[in-house]
Amino acid sequence: MKTSDSLVIIPTYNEKENIENIIRAVFGLEKEFHILVIEDGSPDGTAAIVKDLMKEFPTRLFIIERTGKLGLGTAYIAGFKWGIEHEYDYIFEMDADFSHNPNDLPRLYNACANEGYDLAIGSRYVSGVNVVNWPMGRVLMSYYASMYVRIVTGLKIQDTTAGFKCYSRKVLETIELDKIRFKGYAFQIEMKFTTFKCGFKIKEVPVIFVNRELGTSKMNSSIFGEAVFGVMQLKWDSWFRNYPKA
């Protein structure tokens, strides 16, 4: 029997240093959240750690194992579909490496469940620049990338590339997930842009982003390039597409 209305999706690839700690941190919150790990065939044994924890948390922790590194976007789409099928009302995106603080999950939940928003974004830039332990070059790249996205798309969102989010189920049921095509960080932009074009209410909740201490970042130049050119493609396609309405 499902005991929570909220599902946290955590994609993993080689996160053995972080995965147990992040799961226990989420499960230690006062509000009950469930977790779905999307595991992309990590050779470091991440899946084995999750499966062992599933014995301890059989009604709260779940896993989808995929064969190979198939991309962030496809991982979340798989998780969204699973969450819809299992009738969760609020579905979250969160990284495994503690760059997203589990203590902020109830704040994102509150924005949707109690304040009436359809998408809550854990925003690094809505109240200044709240990033810890990033090299200045990466801070500037991320900040100006969000500015570029706003100029091209017209989005009224300060942190357009944020990956810490809470969706109400009706958003994910409405926006035609099979039409979301980007796999890397452009996926995060495309999801926000599509949510916006469908007319849903969006709120940015200020959070502090802390760079990972353990494990290896998955960011690379091809992912960043997809975001840069994907934004122009998104805007172009939006002129010829009829978006379903909220």
Side-chain angles (χ1 to χ4, degrees):
M1 179 178 176
K2 184 160 70 67
T3 56
S4 175
D5 60 355
S6 298
L7 178 71
V8 180
I9 301 171
I10 304 179
T12 56
Y13 184 78
N14 286 348
E15 292 289 356
K16 69 176 182 180
E17 298 97 339
N18 295 303
I19 192 60
E20 179 170 355
N21 289 337
I22 196 75
I23 288 170
R24 291 192 182 280
V26 172
F27 288 165
L29 296 170
E30 182 178 350
K31 172 176 167 49
E32 182 172 335
F33 292 89
H34 291 182
I35 293 176
L36 173 64
V37 175
I38 312 292
E39 219 307 290
D40 271 7
S42 301
D44 72 346
T46 299
I49 296 170
V50 175
K51 289 177 180 176
D52 191 51
L53 287 168
M54 288 172 68
K55 300 172 187 174
E56 184 176 347
F57 304 104
T59 63
R60 299 182 67 183
L61 179 59
F62 311 94
I63 188 170
I64 293 176
E65 293 185 86
R66 308 196 302 172
T67 56
K69 201 173 178 184
L70 301 177
L72 182 74
T74 64
Y76 276 126
I77 294 296
F80 293 156
K81 290 180 176 180
W82 192 95
I84 291 168
E85 180 184 347
H86 289 80
E87 300 183 337
Y88 288 93
D89 294 321
Y90 303 99
I91 300 176
F92 296 73
E93 296 183 16
M94 190 173 77
D95 290 347
D97 60 8
F98 283 94
S99 55
H100 302 148
N101 187 339
N103 291 326
D104 289 323
L105 286 170
R107 297 173 61 229
L108 296 180
Y109 173 83
N110 182 66
C112 289
N114 299 321
E115 296 179 17
Y117 290 91
D118 304 301
L119 167 59
I121 300 168
S123 177
R124 298 163 289 187
Y125 306 131
V126 74
S127 61
V129 178
N130 294 314
V131 178
V132 177
N133 292 337
W134 256 9
M136 183 55 66
R138 187 166 177 187
V139 173
L140 292 173
M141 181 177 72
S142 174
Y143 182 81
Y144 285 110
S146 277
M147 183 181 297
Y148 163 75
V149 173
R150 291 198 302 275
I151 292 169
V152 173
T153 65
L155 275 173
K156 308 301 182 185
I157 295 171
Q158 294 299 309
D159 194 350
T160 58
T161 61
F164 191 22
K165 305 201 288 280
C166 173
Y167 291 95
S168 66
R169 187 172 76 206
K170 63 182 177 181
V171 173
L172 301 177
E173 290 176 330
T174 300
I175 64 174
E176 301 173 311
L177 292 172
D178 289 334
K179 292 186 178 180
I180 301 295
R181 63 174 180 221
F182 292 115
K183 295 182 179 180
Y185 281 79
F187 164 81
Q188 302 291 11
I189 300 166
E190 184 176 9
M191 286 293 295
K192 295 182 189 72
F193 183 69
T194 306
T195 301
F196 166 73
K197 293 294 285 185
C198 290
F200 286 105
K201 292 173 60 180
I202 301 171
K203 179 177 182 177
E204 289 186 87
V205 177
V207 299
I208 296 174
F209 180 96
V210 181
N211 195 30
R212 68 161 64 233
E213 295 184 2
L214 300 172
T216 304
S217 172
K218 312 305 187 293
M219 171 65 91
N220 58 50
S221 59
S222 65
I223 289 173
F224 184 70
E226 180 196 53
V228 170
F229 294 107
V231 170
M232 291 185 284
Q233 189 66 49
L234 274 178
K235 183 61 176 179
W236 172 263
D237 290 348
S238 72
W239 294 336
F240 306 99
R241 178 178 170 187
N242 291 319
Y243 291 86
K245 293 305 177 183

